[in-house]
Amino acid sequence: MSILQIPYREGRDGFWGEQTSTLNWCEEDYNITYYCAELVNTLTNSMFMWLGVKGLRNVLEFKHSPIFILAYVGYLVVGLGSMAFHATLKYEMQLADELPMIYTVFIMCYATFSYKRSPRTQLLIASIMVGLGLFITVYYLYAKNPVFHQVAFALITATTIFRGFYVMEYQLRPQLRERNPTACSRIMREMWTLALVSIVTFVGGFFIWNMDNIFCRHLTTAKNQLQLPWSIVLEGHGWWHILTGLGAYEMILWRIWLVRCLGGEEEKFMLDWRPWRSIPQVVPRTHKGATKSS
């Protein structure tokens, strides 16, 4: 067993020098390598890279709405910014992680509220969201209060999600009952399942992140006893990256599927997904890579 237990570095000095970020996490700084402040927290952002590229490729291949190109580009930027933040613990890189989170969720908020609106209304909605984004950015740069950022992100996300729920029940369901009554119950059940699974996944990551903060001292003791590589499973903030990366990806897919169905294309496209067992995608029904038919 001792062969499979690799001790942490004794030194805590690192390539990037002193921490300047306003936040630090339970993973001890430079405890694995001299060149990366938080190696596990950095590498777990690979989830964003993988799913971001997958989502972007699917949007281009299946010609989904161009707004989702921006959504997945923002999703990728969040992952890259988080990698840079955890690798360096520099304030500038912290902003590169946190501010794109706000901008990306605003993109999804715009996609939700501007759908089928007139060009003038779409411009008004875009202007409001750009203004709110600028206000959040300027105030956060002034206050440097992470709680403000977290609350702002949560409120925008919740607003987007509840608007999506409203559209599903009060716009999509009546349309499906009228034009496709035999498939209405199945499509709505699929859509609600995808939405709720994405929320549970996201909230699960948030819960683990908070437990990591609350019980950090005990977890650090346990990690030093387990040693590498087994101790990696106790890095709660890393699990936050994995679960929120998956949850956010599923939220974007939920919106893509909702837009396709609102456009009357539920017979041309399908939600290719087995809950908890596969990564969802919205594909043409003739797509050879589909894992199930619905």
Side-chain angles (χ1 to χ4, degrees):
M1 190 66 180
S2 61
I3 297 176
L4 298 177
Q5 289 182 304
I6 304 170
Y8 287 105
R9 284 182 73 231
E10 292 186 6
R12 291 295 183 264
D13 57 320
F15 178 80
W16 300 100
E18 293 287 332
Q19 170 196 342
T20 59
S21 61
T22 61
L23 292 170
N24 202 344
W25 309 105
C26 190
E27 182 177 1
E28 293 185 283
D29 301 348
Y30 298 102
N31 64 344
I32 298 178
T33 173
Y34 171 80
Y35 296 99
C36 183
E38 297 175 347
L39 185 63
V40 176
N41 286 346
T42 300
L43 294 181
T44 47
N45 280 291
S46 299
M47 176 66 81
F48 283 85
M49 300 299 100
W50 172 46
L51 292 180
V53 170
K54 176 181 175 65
L56 195 57
R57 185 186 63 194
N58 285 353
V59 170
L60 295 172
E61 180 179 358
F62 305 132
K63 296 180 173 58
H64 298 313
S65 173
I67 190 66
F68 297 113
I69 295 175
L70 287 179
Y72 278 120
V73 168
Y75 178 93
L76 282 166
V77 170
V78 170
L80 289 170
S82 185
M83 278 186 165
F85 170 34
H86 290 290
T88 65
L89 292 179
K90 294 298 184 181
Y91 177 66
E92 295 80 6
M93 297 302 102
Q94 179 183 342
L95 295 177
D97 173 14
E98 293 175 329
L99 292 178
M101 291 172 62
I102 298 292
Y103 305 150
T104 301
V105 76
F106 264 130
I107 291 171
M108 290 304 300
C109 194
Y110 172 80
T112 300
F113 281 91
S114 67
Y115 181 74
K116 292 292 186 180
R117 304 282 187 176
S118 68
R120 178 176 294 182
T121 303
Q122 289 180 343
L123 180 60
L124 176 62
I125 292 170
S127 299
I128 292 172
M129 293 187 180
V130 168
L132 285 172
L134 287 173
F135 167 76
I136 291 170
T137 300
V138 171
Y139 184 81
Y140 186 49
L141 290 174
Y142 167 76
K144 296 185 178 181
N145 183 354
V147 175
F148 168 76
H149 168 268
Q150 292 160 11
V151 170
F153 177 77
L155 287 175
I156 303 164
T157 302
T159 300
T160 304
I161 290 172
F162 283 112
R163 172 63 182 176
F165 288 166
Y166 176 86
V167 170
M168 281 170 56
E169 286 300 321
Y170 293 97
Q171 294 183 24
L172 178 60
R173 190 183 288 275
Q175 290 179 23
L176 288 175
R177 282 175 176 165
E178 181 177 347
R179 71 168 180 261
N180 198 348
T182 57
C184 177
S185 295
R186 172 182 54 79
I187 291 172
M188 293 302 299
R189 183 173 61 252
E190 286 180 346
M191 200 167 292
W192 271 108
T193 301
L194 178 58
L196 294 177
V197 166
S198 70
I199 293 169
V200 168
T201 305
F202 201 98
V203 171
F206 181 73
F207 174 79
I208 293 174
W209 172 33
N210 278 276
M211 293 302 100
D212 191 55
N213 290 335
I214 294 169
F215 299 106
C216 180
R217 182 169 60 87
H218 303 289
L219 288 168
T220 300
T221 300
K223 284 182 281 188
N224 284 314
Q225 290 173 347
L226 284 173
Q227 299 188 345
L228 297 167
W230 318 108
S231 56
I232 288 174
V233 299
L234 296 180
E235 296 293 355
H237 197 79
W239 286 108
W240 153 261
H241 291 153
I242 293 169
L243 292 174
T244 54
L246 178 58
Y249 172 86
E250 290 170 339
M251 286 182 186
I252 298 174
L253 252 295
W254 168 44
R255 184 65 204 178
I256 291 175
W257 182 221
L258 181 56
V259 167
R260 285 297 187 184
C261 292
L262 285 169
E265 297 181 288
E266 68 273 6
E267 294 299 327
K268 296 179 181 179
F269 286 83
M270 60 178 282
L271 176 63
D272 178 29
W273 182 50
R274 291 174 294 178
W276 307 110
R277 292 174 291 169
S278 66
I279 303 298
Q281 55 182 353
V282 176
V283 300
R285 289 188 174 272
T286 56
H287 182 60
K288 292 181 180 179
T291 58
K292 74 165 194 174
S293 60
S294 58

